[in-house]
Amino acid sequence: MSAFPEHLQYTVEHEWVDTRAGADAPATVGITSTAADALGDIVYVELPAVGEAITAGAVIGEIESTKSVSELFSPVSGTVVEVNEAVVETPELVNSDPFGAGWLLKVEVAETGPVLTSEEYAAQVAG
């Protein structure tokens, strides 16, 4: 069994995207537990503004931890329709629940970038 939810898609940069809601609903984006664990204690999250157009593979923000600052890459192209204000105010949510309450933004998707299945992502981080 994979440690990564099977209903999500992943990037090589350790972001996940949930498009289960369908083409007419926004997709949810976050970072994986692997990225959150590698970063350590997350202390600051910078996200794009609501209404901002983003491009798959492009930098859309930063995540700062007690160890380092990492760029956040978008797994999709589209328009940001919501940011998780709870994560902005309480960044440690990304560490405690990266696939749940630690989601980062919702995007009205125009196009999905290159993504991996949970099995493909698990193989990448294992090897």
Side-chain angles (χ1 to χ4, degrees), residues 38-62:
L39 285 166
D41 295 332
I42 295 171
V43 296
Y44 178 75
V45 176
E46 178 184 308
L47 299 172
V50 171
E52 189 172 325
I54 59 176
T55 303
V59 174
I60 57 171
E62 290 183 344

Side-chain angles (χ1 to χ4, degrees), residues 4-79:
F4 307 105
E6 293 182 8
H7 65 278
L8 302 177
Q9 296 174 303
Y10 301 87
T11 70
V12 295
E13 301 291 345
H14 308 289
E15 288 83 17
W16 58 261
V17 60
D18 184 354
T19 58
R20 282 183 303 171
D24 295 334
T28 305
V29 174
I31 66 167
T32 68
S33 55
T34 299
D37 291 345
L39 285 166
D41 295 332
I42 295 171
V43 296
Y44 178 75
V45 176
E46 178 184 308
L47 299 172
V50 171
E52 189 172 325
I54 59 176
T55 303
V59 174
I60 57 171
E62 290 183 344
I63 296 181
E64 182 177 340
S65 71
T66 55
K67 292 181 180 176
S68 66
V69 177
S70 294
E71 294 178 322
L72 175 66
F73 296 89
S74 180
V76 295
S77 296
T79 304

